[in-house]
Amino acid sequence: MSAKRYAMVIDLHKCVGCAACDIACKAENNVPVEFHWSNHITETSGTFPNVKYKYIPTLCNHCENAPCVQNCPTTAMYKNEDGLTLHNADKCIGCRLCQLSCPYGVIWFNKEEPHKVYAQESAPIVAGGGTSTGFQLAQMLDAPLPYYNPARAQTYEGVRPRGVVEKCTFCDHRLAAGEDPACVVACPADARIFGDMNDPESGPSKALAQHKPKVLLADQGTKPRVFYIRDFS
Ligand code: SF4
Ligand code: SF4
């Protein structure tokens, strides 16, 4: 099967700023507290009554010229054949050069054990006549933690360990199963259009042909594969 050129187009006229994408991403990818693989920029400008409010969803741009990949000394950060920027936690030495190189601030570093807060401080769950935290219950039953999505572990560390970085993968594990990324499915406004730019009939190809797209920090020369259409400026 020939390689794909996956891309996401975000229609800013459709986005209602609900952050369902951010929450879906957290749940799908077991993203630790205070990390935001899916995120957003908000900006208010002007003086009343002539004010403007912008809400711009953000994520890894899966750049064609990805400085995070170019500067990783161990090839832990790499491009796959379909153009996704992916990360191999086993090869990562935690030097954070990728994080320094990325102009978009979308790479997160596990300086502590992930999900520590959840494991230690979660509210008790009633079980078998007694109570225990979710963490204790999972240990007793030899079961996954209640927050944990085991599907994430099909192509990446299910929970990334202390001392390595992590970021959005365009839900590569879902793509491998023929599904769209979790943020795309969760969006109630259909503002996220995902697909293969090599296919002229795909959603992104059609949207990019119909509208003049923008990318974030175009002057950086990274060639993002996340595009924005119909902004309000
Ligand atoms: Fe790398 Fe940052 Fe581009 Fe993602 S947005 S591919 S992390 S440079
Ligand atoms: Fe590569 Fe890991 Fe260093 Fe990033 S932190 S540059 S992925 S080795």
Side-chain angles (χ1 to χ4, degrees), residues 193-207:
I193 307 160
F194 187 83
D196 176 11
M197 289 203 301
N198 282 342
D199 173 4
E201 294 304 312
S202 72
S205 295
K206 286 184 176 170

Side-chain angles (χ1 to χ4, degrees), residues 59-69 77 79 85 98 101-107 167-168 222 224:
L59 63 161
C60 171
N61 288 287
H62 296 271
C63 308
E64 279 178 48
N65 289 335
C68 59
V69 173
M77 198 68 82
K79 299 295 285 184
T85 305
C98 53
S101 315
C102 171
Y104 302 99
V106 295
I107 300 179
K167 63 158 202 71
C168 155
T222 54

Side-chain angles (χ1 to χ4, degrees), residues 6-12 14 170 180-181 183-185 187 189-197 201-208 210-211 225-230:
Y6 283 123
M8 187 180 294
V9 178
I10 301 181
D11 185 337
L12 294 172
K14 286 189 172 177
F170 263 176
D180 277 339
C183 59
V184 174
V185 175
C187 177
D190 292 334
R192 290 177 178 240
I193 307 160
F194 187 83
D196 176 11
M197 289 203 301
E201 294 304 312
S202 72
S205 295
K206 286 184 176 170
L208 294 175
Q210 195 182 349
H211 301 280
R225 291 242 183 114
V226 174
F227 301 90
Y228 297 87
I229 57 171
R230 302 205 296 168

